[in-house]
Every structure is written in C-alpha cells, then in structure tokens.
Amino acid sequence: MPPASDRLLEANALTYSYHGQSTPSIRNVSLTVRAGERLLITGASGCGKSTLARCLVGLIPHLYKGQLEGQVWLDGLPTDSTPLWQLAEKAGMVLQNTQAQMLASTVEDEIAFGLENLGLPRQEIERRIESSLDRFGLQKLRANDPRRISGGEGQSVMLAAMLARRPSILVLDEPLSMLDTTAAHELVCHLAELAGQGSVVVVCEHRSRYFGAGAFREHPLNEHTSPVAEDDFSPAPLSDASDFGLAVNELSVTFGGRRVLDKLCLDLSGGQVVALIGVNGSGKTTLLRSLAGLQRHEGAVSVTDGGTPDLGLVYQNPDLQLFNATVREELLYRVASPDENLYRWLMARLGLERYQDASPLLLSEGEKKRLCLAMVLMHRPRHGILLDEPTLGQDDRHRVLLGRTVKGLADAGRLVVVATHDLAWAAHFATQMLVLHEGRLIANGTPTALLKWADLWQRVGLRVPDWIWESIA
C-alpha cells in the first residue's frame, strides 16, 4: 500500500546488495519523511548512506544492478515500477561525486539543463538561473566549464542546478564535503528555507555539527563507532627521511586568462604537517598539483637535498586514481618490490582489509580516499605527501586515524601538505597553517594563532564555527 498523502517519502524494510557483493550494503532500513521535514542520515564511513540515498530517489533499482528487497514510495509512487523520468519530476539528488552529474559545457547551461527538461517557460528558466547564480555566488563563473573549476565550486554548481528545479523531495549526499565553512553555513540556511516551504530535505553527511541540535531529525544507519584510543596507533613501517627544505619561488599559474596563483613564495621543510586553507576557488588544488609537478607553472619548486621534489599526491576526486580490478592490484600497481609489512599495515590502519579482492569502484567515497592514500604510501615518496580534502567522506574515527597517520609521517621527517576545509581537523593535527586568498598567500602561522585572528577570516570570507575553539582550547 502506498503511504498517506502527507508522507512525501517512505521506505519500508530496504535491503540492497550490489551485483557481485556478498554482504548487503544496507539491511532492513525503514523511514518516513513528511512534507517540510528535514532528515539527517548519519553513520560510519562505508555503512551504506550513499546506497540508501540512491534507493530513496529511484536510482536503485533503475540504474544499478543488484538485489533489492523492500519498497520506496516517492509522493505515493513506487520507485521500482515507476519510470525514472517520472520520479525525477518529484525528487532530485546531488551525488557525493558531483563530477559524475555534470553534463553541460558552461555553468549557466548546467543549471538550465534540468529546468529545460521540466518544460518551464524561457522567462521562468532565465529567472531561476539568475537567482541560483546569485545565491551560490556563481555569477563570475557562469561561462566557465564546470569540469574545470575547483571541486567546491563544482559542488556549488550542482547544488544550484538541483535546487533551481525546486523538487518536492531533495536528497543530498555529503553536500558539505567540498564546501568552505561559509558556503556550508549558507547551504544549511537555504535547506531550512526549502523545508519551510514544504519540501522534504534528506541529507547524508559526516559534518553533522553544521545542522544544529533539533533542526534535523537524525536517522543513524549503524551503531556509534568507538573512538580511537590514545595507544591505538603504530607508525608506518617507513624509514626516516633525510633533512630537507622545500622552496617555492615566484610560483604563478594562469588558466584561460585568469591568474589562479600569483607569485607565491614559500619555504617548507620535512617534519611539518601544513594545512592549506582558503575559500572555494582560492588556488589550493592548483598549488598541490604544482608542488607535485603535475601543473604547468611559472617560477620554481625545488628541494635542498639536491634532487627533484618527490611528493605523492592524493587527488580530491579518488575516481581519477582508480582503474585496477581489485583493491590489492590497485595498491601494488607498478610497485617494483612490494613491502608486505607496509602493505599489511596500510590495509589494517586504513580499514581496507575486507576489500582486498573487491573492485575499488564499489567502495564508499571515504574508503576510496583512504585507498588512494595507501597507494601513494606504497610507493614510499621520499619527501612526503600532498592531500586534497582527505577528510571527505571520513567518519570521526577515520579523521583521527588520518591525523595520526600524517603526524607519524611528519615525525619520520616527511612533509605533509593538506588542502582542507575541515578547520577542526587542521587545528588539531596541523603544525602550520597557510591561508590563500585570490591566488596569494596572505597568512602563515600556527593554527592556534591564525584561528584567533578575526580580521583575517573576515578578509578571506570564511566563517570560523564556534566548535572550532574546542579543538584549540
């Protein structure tokens, strides 16, 4: 029987296993969401939040192969027997990996695409495009290719495109994962407005503190995971690095006439964990690529030990680094003499042991990020590692384990540079913080000192949430 009319979204006894998967990703999940309600789906990394989100909008079973038990209704329509195009008129979803949703060649066209499919009048389409561009601060990017902007900007584009459609049921998978603190706060406020207008809002998210006590009804998918014990850590079995310094001199990068980095000068050294902070589009990812030797640039990047920089890069989008059939093959790809001790340590420390024979693409986004970190460390980069949004998709336990892992690498003499919007993580684990603004380095100091500098964050346009102070108290 379909749900009552006020229940816009209902799931009953959902169990789902992907094709070739022996253990269900979700098991016996039931929930009901009425018009105007906000639901927050929580749970550990890999517990099935993304799978549940796909079920709620009908992507499962229409686009994914597997075994589905139970039933979902969208505004009274059973998802398993209703065409996907009809479900799309009721519900919209923003994926965790927003690049997988991008279809158009400009930001403006990306927003227009869904509106045109709804058959709206041209005047209404243009009005909604302008409203969405303004709300998400995308006016200056309207003519840009959405696949060639920063990850956070791309996430804003897909949120703008989906919200412009004004679906009565909105499902968001980790919508804050690549947004800076200001953009995250503004999105949560906008979701509250949508719910106030009668929409259902379902959010799968690790950064639950942004959603406030009581504003969202919480639906945990699994039991609370135990915190990491103080002695629950052993350093990676890697030899200590020799002393070195990394010098960045007059580094500049230009894309399509836009100066992304402008004459950056910087001196770093082994033994540091450096947090790279800035709003979406400030040049963080471009700087990491330049340090790794993957980005054409002006100026120079050099090391003082006489060699060329050997820094392993973990991308923001892990799918760009995964192409082997199994996790084990991925980890050992082009490793000339694999160190089995290091392999076993990485699999255990990063929670990947049960996936050795699984396809990497079946992992959750957080698990993929940890796999990419393991892949980089298997190659033993001499000078250190570069991490682009490494806490994306990580639960609290894995955020702590990541922090202790990079601190262990720094203790062994390596340099770790982390581009992140996770200010709480940076405050706790970084030894140095660099703040980028409009392609320039405008602040360099300890996290404790910089986070207390109110004028700095006002100039940059970043909010420092109240709970950050708990990390530096």
Side-chain angles (χ1 to χ4, degrees):
M1 292 289 293
S5 59
D6 68 326
R7 302 176 188 175
L8 289 184
L9 176 61
E10 185 159 355
N12 182 39
L14 283 182
T15 297
Y16 184 74
S17 302
Y18 291 97
H19 179 70
Q21 188 180 46
S22 58
T23 304
S25 291
I26 56 173
R27 191 191 302 271
N28 198 32
V29 177
S30 298
L31 56 85
T32 298
V33 195
R34 290 176 167 81
E37 279 195 301
R38 289 169 277 174
L39 185 67
L40 179 64
I41 307 293
T42 61
S45 177
C47 72
K49 296 186 297 298
S50 295
T51 300
L52 176 59
R54 293 165 186 157
C55 290
L56 294 181
V57 298
L59 295 181
I60 293 175
H62 290 286
L63 296 185
Y64 290 84
K65 293 182 179 180
Q67 182 64 40
L68 176 66
E69 301 174 17
Q71 182 67 66
V72 177
W73 289 274
L74 287 177
D75 198 12
L77 299 176
T79 58
D80 57 351
S81 58
T82 304
L84 195 55
W85 66 264
Q86 193 172 353
L87 296 176
E89 293 181 340
K90 302 283 187 180
M93 179 178 174
V94 177
L95 302 177
Q96 187 172 10
N97 182 355
T98 53
Q99 287 193 349
Q101 283 183 278
M102 292 178 178
L103 298 169
S105 58
T106 70
V107 168
E108 181 175 353
D109 288 345
E110 193 70 63
I111 298 173
F113 182 80
L115 302 176
E116 290 169 344
N117 283 339
L118 292 176
L120 297 176
R122 171 52 56 183
Q123 187 175 3
E124 176 64 12
I125 290 175
E126 292 175 354
R127 191 181 70 79
R128 292 197 191 186
I129 289 173
E130 294 303 321
S131 176
S132 293
L133 289 172
D134 287 339
R135 177 173 285 277
F136 287 89
L138 297 169
Q139 283 285 3
K140 65 180 181 180
L141 297 176
R142 66 186 304 155
N144 289 48
D145 185 335
R147 292 158 294 190
R148 295 185 62 83
I149 57 181
S150 77
E153 290 169 332
Q155 194 166 37
S156 293
V157 169
M158 293 314 304
L159 288 165
M162 188 57 64
L163 294 175
R165 289 177 46 205
R166 300 176 186 171
S168 57
I169 301 164
L170 180 64
V171 179
L172 306 176
D173 192 4
E174 298 278 356
L176 310 185
S177 59
M178 289 182 281
L179 298 183
D180 60 54
T181 52
T182 298
H185 172 78
E186 291 173 350
L187 174 62
V188 172
C189 291
H190 186 40
L191 295 179
E193 291 178 19
L194 291 175
Q197 296 164 6
S199 295
V200 159
V201 177
V202 179
V203 176
C204 303
E205 181 62 64
H206 287 297
R207 297 167 71 179
S208 58
R209 280 181 153 176
Y210 277 91
F211 296 93
F216 278 69
R217 176 164 58 90
E218 191 167 329
H219 185 99
L221 276 193
N222 60 357
E223 294 298 321
H224 176 68
T225 55
S226 59
V228 182
E230 286 299 322
D231 59 353
D232 185 16
F233 184 75
S234 59
L238 293 168
S239 58
D240 289 353
S242 58
D243 291 341
F244 72 94
L246 179 76
V248 178
N249 186 39
E250 297 285 314
L251 178 65
S252 297
V253 176
T254 302
F255 286 144
R258 177 193 168 207
R259 197 78 149 176
V260 180
L261 295 176
D262 190 17
K263 296 183 178 179
L264 227 62
C265 293
L266 182 62
D267 289 305
L268 302 173
S269 62
Q272 292 179 306
V273 179
V274 181
L276 192 57
I277 308 296
V279 298
N280 295 129
S282 59
K284 301 184 298 296
T285 295
T286 302
L287 177 55
L288 292 187
R289 290 174 179 165
S290 299
L291 296 180
L294 300 178
Q295 175 63 58
R296 188 173 296 176
H297 59 266
E298 302 171 29
V301 178
S302 60
V303 287
T304 58
D305 64 2
T308 57
D310 182 13
L311 297 162
L313 174 61
V314 178
Y315 294 1
Q316 188 175 99
N317 181 357
D319 286 352
L320 298 177
Q321 290 181 276
L322 302 173
F323 52 87
N324 281 292
T326 68
V327 166
R328 179 176 175 84
E329 290 176 73
E330 203 76 77
L331 214 59
L332 300 180
Y333 182 70
R334 290 195 171 180
V335 179
S337 301
D339 182 333
E340 281 297 323
N341 288 332
L342 178 58
Y343 174 83
R344 287 192 295 270
W345 185 92
L346 289 168
M347 294 295 285
R349 177 53 51 200
L350 299 176
L352 300 171
E353 288 175 301
R354 63 190 174 118
Y355 299 120
Q356 289 192 82
D357 299 319
S359 166
L361 297 181
L362 289 180
L363 274 57
S364 73
E365 291 299 309
E367 290 164 340
K368 289 178 186 177
K369 293 284 282 190
R370 300 201 298 274
L371 173 57
C372 290
L373 172 58
M375 290 160 50
V376 166
L377 291 178
M378 274 302 296
H379 286 269
R380 299 171 171 269
R382 189 168 76 257
H383 295 118
I385 58 173
L386 310 168
L387 307 178
D388 199 350
E389 297 293 349
T391 62
L392 186 157
Q394 308 302 332
D395 55 42
D396 288 343
R397 177 179 178 82
H398 286 101
R399 288 172 69 252
V400 172
L401 286 173
L402 171 68
R404 293 191 182 177
T405 299
V406 300
K407 283 202 135 187
L409 293 171
D411 290 342
R414 286 171 176 79
L415 171 65
V416 181
V417 183
V418 183
T420 184
H421 292 303
D422 193 336
L423 293 180
W425 186 92
H428 192 71
F429 293 107
T431 59
Q432 185 174 353
M433 183 177 283
L434 308 178
V435 181
L436 283 182
H437 182 57
E438 297 179 349
R440 292 178 178 271
L441 179 64
I442 66 167
N444 182 352
T446 66
T448 301
L450 293 190
L451 286 171
K452 293 178 179 178
W453 188 1
D455 289 347
L456 169 66
W457 303 108
Q458 184 175 5
R459 175 185 173 187
V460 172
L462 282 177
R463 292 171 56 90
V464 180
D466 293 339
W467 68 81
I468 299 297
W469 306 117
E470 300 172 13
S471 301
I472 60 177

